Amino acid sequence: MMILGIYGTGGLGREVLELAKQINNVQHRWNQIFFIDDFRDEKNFQNCQVTSFQELKQINNHDDIEIIVAVGEPKNRKMLAETLQTEGYKFATLIHPNVHIPASTEIGGGTVICAQAIISCDVVIGKNVYIQPNALVGHNTVIADNTIISGLVHVAGSCHIGHESYIGMNACVKEGLKIGNEVIIGIASVVVREIPDTVIALGNPARPMKTNEDKKVFK
């Protein structure tokens, strides 16, 4: 039986904890769940142990540990995932029990798919992707590594969402479109044309407003 480490004690970390409990209720996967956080002083949070990454590395045998990154900044997700991979840690993949994944869909390690998400056929989801509740991903769509698809987002079929991008809550993406790498799509925006790399796009229709210079979603 494995042990699950949730990297981050913020909102996504608490969300992942609840998801992990729901998964455990259906199929017991983890004997223990703990948090990893380098900035929280208390050693117990939400009835789970909290450790820093440096403390975690002192454990000689981590074959029974798998980790999920639970932070909201795509840039930070990438950085943490790369560090964990370099240190030899395994990644968990968490999919809510009520989500149906077609056999033709590919999902990379470290990905989270929350309750009521709809994932269609022939979808390719990269590594360390976070798909929040009630999001819809249409057929033949590709979502690249470290990207976040927020709640209530609708991505139509045959789209391509680039790596380290963030699609804001309730946004819609027309079928067959490409959204570049390191892009932020604003809340409730409607994407009806391709969006280039490294921009912030807002509105209906969504237009690039400025360059995503600091690669931060939450200022």
Side-chain angles (χ1 to χ4, degrees):
M1 196 67 67
M2 300 297 290
I3 299 170
L4 177 65
I6 301 172
Y7 209 134
T9 59
L12 286 193
R14 298 193 300 274
E15 193 173 77
V16 168
L17 175 62
E18 292 306 313
L19 174 57
K21 289 177 179 178
Q22 290 165 351
I23 292 171
N24 256 359
N25 286 338
V26 175
Q27 179 186 10
H28 191 61
R29 285 177 55 184
W30 303 288
N31 276 335
Q32 178 186 350
I33 301 172
F34 69 99
F35 283 106
I36 307 158
D37 197 306
D38 300 314
F39 303 102
R40 184 174 287 276
D41 292 332
E42 58 262 51
K43 293 301 181 182
N44 188 284
F45 179 70
Q46 300 284 304
N47 295 317
C48 294
Q49 179 184 351
V50 181
T51 186
S52 70
F53 185 57
Q54 291 302 317
E55 291 169 335
L56 179 65
K57 290 198 298 182
Q58 304 307 311
I59 301 174
N60 293 326
N61 181 13
H62 50 67
D63 290 343
D64 295 334
I65 299 173
E66 54 182 7
I67 298 177
I68 195 79
V69 177
V71 298
E73 292 283 359
K75 178 182 176 182
N76 292 346
R77 294 181 67 79
K78 177 184 178 181
M79 177 188 67
L80 291 172
E82 289 177 343
T83 299
L84 290 163
Q85 187 172 23
T86 299
E87 295 290 337
Y89 287 98
K90 296 187 289 287
F91 291 93
T93 298
L94 276 65
I95 301 172
H96 193 278
N98 71 16
V99 176
H100 171 69
I101 303 296
S104 58
T105 290
E106 301 176 20
I107 300 175
T111 284
V112 174
I113 302 179
C114 295
Q116 308 300 331
I118 298 174
I119 310 298
S120 191
C121 57
D122 299 297
V123 168
V124 177
I125 300 173
K127 297 179 291 185
N128 199 33
V129 171
Y130 201 107
I131 298 178
Q132 293 190 315
N134 296 289
L136 182 151
V137 180
H139 64 83
N140 297 96
T141 286
V142 175
I143 300 175
D145 298 348
N146 310 306
T147 283
I148 292 182
I149 307 295
S150 299
L152 300 171
V153 165
H154 286 187
V155 180
S158 300
C159 292
H160 188 286
I161 313 295
H163 59 74
E164 287 89 66
S165 288
Y166 183 98
I167 313 301
M169 185 174 63
N170 213 33
C172 295
V173 183
K174 182 184 174 184
E175 66 275 2
L177 292 183
K178 180 180 180 180
I179 293 176
N181 304 317
E182 300 177 327
V183 167
I184 297 173
I185 302 295
I187 291 173
S189 293
V190 179
V191 183
V192 296
R193 60 177 64 92
E194 292 194 357
I195 304 295
D197 293 344
T198 325
V199 299
I200 299 171
L202 310 170
N204 180 5
R207 297 183 177 89
M209 297 297 180
K210 61 180 180 178
T211 302
N212 184 18
E213 294 179 356
D214 59 7
K215 313 294 191 301
K216 287 187 177 180
V217 176
F218 305 102
K219 308 300 183 182

